[in-house]
Amino acid sequence: MKIKFITLLFTLAAALAAQSAFAEKADREKPMNVEADSLKHDDQQQLTTFTGKVLMTKGTLVLKAARMEVKQDKQGNQVAKLWADPGERIFFRQKREGLDEYTEGEAETAVYNSQADTLTLTQRAELRLIRGALVADRIQGQQILVNNTTEVFMVDGKPSGTGSPTG
C-alpha cells in the first residue's frame, strides 16, 4: 500500500511539473479590453461593472462571464471579479508560453489580479490543458489558483463560500 501511495505522489508530481509553463508572458503587459451589454462606472471608486455577455481579453487571455466588476488602483493595476449566471460557469482560455497549447477552465466565479498575474477559479472549478484539439490533462476542485508569475497552480477540493456577487 505504501509503494502505491508513493507511486501516486510521484505521478501527480510529474503531471504538475509538466504544467510549469503557463501563460504567455507578454499578456501581462497587454491592455484589458471588455465587451458587454451594459456598463456602469464609478469614477470616485475606480470601479466599473459590466453586465450581460461579458467578454474580457488581455493578450491571449479570454474570460467570458455574465457579470464582471473591475477595480483599478492609481498605478493601473486591475482586479476583476467575475460571476456566471445561476447554474452556469464562467470560461477562460489562455495560450501557454512558447507552446502550441492552451490552458482553459470554468468555474462559477473567478478573480483575476493583473498585478499578481493570478486567476482564482471558485466553485465547480475545472482546469484543462489543451494540446491541439485534445484535452491532455484535467483538474477539478472547489478552488483553483493559477499563478502565472511563479508558474504554480493550487487546487482545493473543500467547499467554499456562496460565490454571490456581494463583494
Side-chain angles (χ1 to χ4, degrees), residues 21-167:
F22 275 117
E24 288 278 326
K25 301 294 183 204
D27 287 354
R28 190 171 186 186
E29 304 304 320
K30 301 285 182 176
M32 180 185 287
N33 298 300
V34 182
E35 297 176 25
D37 290 339
S38 64
L39 80 88
K40 175 185 171 188
H41 178 71
D42 182 335
D43 198 43
Q44 196 165 18
Q45 298 278 330
Q46 286 297 295
L47 178 68
T48 306
T49 303
F50 300 90
T51 54
K53 298 178 188 164
V54 178
L55 173 63
M56 188 274 279
T57 59
K58 185 173 170 70
T60 68
L61 175 64
V62 175
L63 288 163
K64 296 178 184 179
R67 178 177 174 198
M68 179 173 76
E69 293 179 354
V70 179
K71 181 119 176 131
Q72 183 166 307
D73 65 19
K74 291 178 179 157
Q75 291 76 36
N77 299 310
Q78 301 155 326
V79 174
K81 296 180 181 180
L82 301 99
W83 294 270
D85 280 326
E88 300 293 323
R89 296 191 292 178
I90 61 100
F91 172 82
F92 97 93
R93 181 177 175 101
Q94 189 167 29
K95 187 171 184 323
R96 295 183 65 201
E97 179 72 27
L99 300 170
D100 188 23
E101 297 179 353
Y102 289 85
T103 301
E104 68 177 32
E106 297 175 84
E108 290 181 24
T109 63
V111 176
Y112 171 72
N113 183 318
S114 71
Q115 181 179 18
D117 200 13
T118 59
L119 177 67
T120 304
L121 304 168
T122 306
Q123 294 183 323
R124 294 192 305 138
E126 182 175 325
L127 186 66
R128 297 178 294 273
L129 171 62
I130 308 298
R131 286 189 186 124
L134 300 175
V135 176
D137 214 345
R138 178 185 316 239
I139 297 170
Q140 296 174 315
Q142 282 301 309
Q143 184 174 66
I144 301 172
L145 170 66
V146 179
N147 186 322
N148 290 316
T149 302
T150 62
E151 298 182 338
V152 170
F153 69 88
M154 296 182 286
V155 182
D156 187 349
K158 297 177 193 168
S160 58
T162 64
S164 62
T166 57

